[in-house]
Amino acid sequence: MLVAADELLEGSELPAASALAFADLGPEAPLVLVVGVPQGPNRLFRVGGGRLEALPLTELADPFGPAHALAAADFDGDGVEEIWVGNGDPVDRRSARADRLFDPIGDGFHDLLVEPRAAALGASPSSVALRPIDRIGSGLYGFLAVPVGGPLRLIERDGAGGFTDVAPAAGLDELIEGAATAHGPLFGRGLDLFVGAGRGTSLLFREAGLGRWVEVAEAAGLTVPDLGAVDAAMLDVDRAGTFGLLCLRRRGAHLLWIPDATGLLQDRAPPSLARPSSATALLVADLDNDGFEEILIANAAEPNRLLAWREQGWRPVDPGDAMEPASLPAALAAADLDGDGRLEVVVARAGGRGGGLAVYRVDAPDHAWLRVAPRTAQGAPARGALVRLVAGGRCQTRIVGESARGAGEPIAHFGLGSNERVERLDIRWPDGTVRRFETIEARRTLSVPHPLAASVTQR
């Protein structure tokens, strides 16, 4: 059961919110929560001290954009994450504006997309979904920009410090009415990419190596016409490294695709998960630290739904205060906001009762936990790194930053139940580098640099 944690929201009142992202602004700055506000101003909150502390408005406020999507990653390799604001609007296209890419500078931000070196991009993207991707494992991330309607774009820095769209070279330049993305090892090797369509045909890209993907939706059996995707996530479905693709839909049953032995995707959503609803956002995370992830489905103007793994299946459980039957949630994210080793859930609301932000925590036993923060060689969060551990003889797998539309807390969070020790921990960075640890005590956060960098720290 989730209970309100209003004490974490001191001074953070908002009338409405449309998107959430956690960003790491470097060793001298704590983790921050970026909140997209439709028609602004966007807001920034420092995470720490047991609450969310509102920071002064800067250029990041961008008061005229819809701020439909947010993402954070180290775009320029300086060890500090940049923040991309997607200003597309799938409902009212007349309200769409050019995206912004904010680089932290001192106490403020600077929009990199207005610089002359971005001119080679032509018209700036206007995105409704975003995804940070380290395509070649260099530690310099690109941003996949999903438009209201048009070809996908993958924006990276080029060798001369300018900007370039590498979607054609990566095999991603497909037309789509995009709405949702998910990124993970669906086919067991590499990080595959799903782009769900709000209208029309959805796309599924299988990683082919060397910074390229191949579109395989039809070949893999992902052929639902007019899917009506709202949000999606890839999740560890068997605690043995098999991933499934969970897709929430605007119309019809929600879907959980799992590849069979031949690689064909089969819908295995149980009735409790598949039941149609007015879904708006999805969160997959271990909220009670029992070693099994929960699924939180946010719905518009009807109760939110919480499912937990019980008796070898997904079962509905009481969402408690997070039921929110009269709200209009737009985004979900999870992070350990108060440093106690348990995740809190942040809800961004576009309308309804209670204001634009809400925070909940689980009322549950004090289970053990481990948090793992892989870093790039440049020192930034290694988003997209695959982290796998074995505790009590059982395996769990997480993808760093994947829990909330690619903009989640850049830490792999594991609940361990009654296990106070991890037998084995493996980290695979986006460049394929793997590092293994054995016999780790629980209830700590490990900051793990890339093997090319310095030593492990823990707290």
Side-chain angles (χ1 to χ4, degrees):
M1 178 183 295
L2 292 163
V3 297
D6 296 336
E7 71 277 9
L8 297 178
L9 286 173
E10 182 180 345
S12 57
E13 295 82 6
L14 290 174
S18 51
L20 300 168
F22 286 97
D24 187 320
L25 301 187
E28 303 303 320
L31 190 71
V32 297
L33 172 64
V34 189
V35 181
V37 179
Q39 308 308 321
N42 302 323
R43 299 299 301 274
L44 194 68
F45 298 92
R46 179 183 290 119
V47 178
R51 64 189 179 94
L52 293 173
E53 177 188 353
L55 298 177
L57 294 177
T58 66
E59 188 180 1
L60 182 72
D62 189 22
F64 304 111
H68 191 79
L70 293 167
D74 186 3
F75 180 73
D76 54 13
D78 64 354
V80 176
E81 293 195 311
E82 281 69 43
I83 299 165
W84 192 298
V85 181
N87 279 323
D89 193 325
V91 177
D92 183 2
R93 298 192 182 190
R94 294 171 298 178
S95 298
R97 301 177 69 90
D99 290 354
R100 313 289 295 275
L101 176 56
F102 291 108
D103 185 11
I105 298 178
D107 293 329
F109 293 85
H110 173 65
D111 182 11
L112 298 177
L113 291 179
V114 301
E115 293 188 353
R117 56 182 168 164
L121 297 176
S124 293
S126 182
S127 308
V128 295
L130 297 163
R131 175 72 46 176
I133 297 176
D134 185 358
R135 183 172 62 99
I136 59 175
S138 65
L140 278 73
Y141 285 76
F143 288 93
L144 181 75
V146 181
V148 176
L152 298 173
R153 306 183 72 180
L154 180 55
I155 310 302
E156 294 181 352
R157 291 282 296 270
D158 63 24
F163 295 4
T164 182
D165 180 3
V166 300
L172 298 175
D173 57 330
E174 299 277 352
L175 294 169
I176 189 170
E177 289 276 345
T181 67
H183 195 207
L186 185 63
F187 297 109
R189 294 176 62 92
L191 292 182
D192 308 304
L193 176 65
F194 170 72
V195 184
R199 291 187 294 270
T201 304
S202 296
L203 301 171
L204 179 62
F205 298 93
R206 187 167 188 167
E207 186 174 354
L210 301 177
R212 288 187 54 82
W213 286 262
V214 177
E215 210 287 312
V216 297
E218 185 174 356
L222 199 158
T223 57
V224 178
D226 198 17
L227 183 62
V230 172
D231 204 352
M234 294 198 193
L235 65 156
D236 183 3
V237 294
D238 65 355
R239 270 61 64 187
T242 299
F243 270 69
L245 171 58
L246 175 57
C247 181
L248 300 187
R249 305 173 68 195
R250 184 177 299 108
R251 302 172 298 278
H254 306 316
L255 302 168
L256 176 59
W257 286 297
I258 300 174
D260 63 19
T262 68
L264 284 175
L265 297 177
Q266 307 290 339
D267 178 24
R268 302 299 188 204
S272 59
L273 178 57
R275 180 166 59 86
S277 64
S278 57
T280 59
L282 171 66
L283 179 68
V284 178
D286 189 350
L287 302 176
D288 59 5
N289 283 344
D290 68 346
F292 299 91
E293 291 179 301
E294 283 72 51
I295 297 173
L296 179 60
I297 299 174
N299 295 310
E302 67 174 87
N304 298 332
R305 290 159 55 190
L306 181 64
L307 296 100
W309 187 262
R310 301 285 188 270
E311 300 174 356
Q312 301 303 306
W314 296 110
R315 314 291 182 192
V317 296
D318 183 4
D321 294 339
M323 185 177 292
E324 295 196 346
S327 75
L328 297 174
L332 300 170
D336 181 9
L337 300 178
D338 55 8
D340 67 352
R342 292 195 287 184
L343 295 175
E344 282 75 41
V345 175
V346 184
V347 182
R349 304 190 190 109
R353 297 177 183 173
L357 279 184
V359 176
Y360 301 98
R361 63 163 58 94
V362 170
D363 182 15
D366 183 25
H367 289 137
W369 50 272
L370 183 74
R371 289 163 57 79
V372 184
R375 314 295 289 191
T376 66
Q378 294 83 358
R383 294 183 182 269
L386 199 70
V387 184
R388 181 169 293 156
L389 63 71
V390 176
R394 190 166 55 81
C395 179
Q396 298 185 58
T397 307
R398 303 284 186 269
I399 306 165
V400 175
E402 184 59 22
S403 66
R405 298 178 181 175
E409 183 187 28
I411 294 176
H413 178 93
F414 297 91
L416 301 176
S418 61
N419 298 297
E420 294 289 344
R421 179 176 296 133
V422 170
E423 290 110 66
R424 189 175 75 247
L425 173 71
D426 293 322
I427 303 171
R428 190 185 76 197
W429 277 264
D431 65 357
T433 300
V434 176
R435 192 169 184 183
R436 171 168 289 186
F437 302 87
E438 296 183 349
T439 313
I440 301 170
E441 297 298 321
R443 302 179 186 271
R444 65 191 63 201
T445 298
L446 297 180
S447 181
V448 185
H450 191 279
L452 296 178
S455 60
V456 177
T457 61
Q458 58 184 337
R459 63 180 187 276

